[in-house]
Amino acid sequence: MCQHTLVSFNINGIRAAFRKGLKEWISEYGPDFIGLQETKAWKEQLKESEFSLENYHFYLSQCHRKGYSGVGVYCKEKPLEVMYDFFDDPLFDCEGRVIFLRFAHYIVLNVYFPNGVSGKERLAYKMAFYAKFLEKVLALIQTGEKVIVMGDVNTAHTPIDLSRPKENMKNSGFLPEERAWIDDFLGIGMIDTYRYFFPDKTEVYSWWDLKTAARERNVGWRIDYIFSSENLRSALAGAEVLSHVPGSDHCPVELKLQIS
């Protein structure tokens, strides 16, 4: 048996995160795979000497627009396949929100899902992205693939996943249609791995508003997830929300797998 540690972390800018010690944290903590969201950089802006990590392969999906969106991956195992145009549709691929990586034992999708807070048009885009993503993952599951989906989903699923559910019922991130999508995603055979181990645990969050110093008061939202397909259930070995890790308005979330 071999243990794999996978981490997801919205870093709110890779260059800023490296200045705050992200490189040192990854090297010291040593996950086998870390998916980063909201990298906000093009590869040509990242000097190899500064952003390469010993024993890790690096992959970056960038938005067509500088300083916005984007996801990145550091992984110890070299993937068998890497795909950046997951949707094969410029409407959804243009913002660099997904990296697909195939490994020997599973597929990982590192995703920065859209935020719907800026208005009706952006919420409609978020819901369309959700629908298309579910369709694509369902197709993978139906062919027997073992799938891990990690990232900033930008939605809290249930009332125990945010500090103030009643006050946020009409706000994007906790709207009924957004929460219903997570129900549907679990319904196709995906597991919220944190809730698999801690179904009723409260006051555990992965994002806090910087402007109101909400982290110090733990007034937060659990909007960062690692999901696994049902055919990986027997490999699930542990999950954590690493709320003590600084450097962003989010914190990392973790999944441990035991692979035979």
Side-chain angles (χ1 to χ4, degrees), residues 9-10 152 206-208 215 223-224 245 248-252:
F9 193 4
N10 181 321
D152 177 0
S206 65
W207 175 80
W208 304 264
R215 191 165 189 166
I223 58 174
D224 300 87
V245 178
S248 174
D249 52 346
H250 294 250
C251 73

Side-chain angles (χ1 to χ4, degrees), residues 158-159 162-171 174 179:
T158 70
L162 72 167
S163 298
R164 296 171 177 169
K166 289 182 181 178
E167 294 89 333
N168 285 288
M169 293 290 289
K170 296 182 180 180
N171 294 330
F174 199 58
R179 298 167 60 199

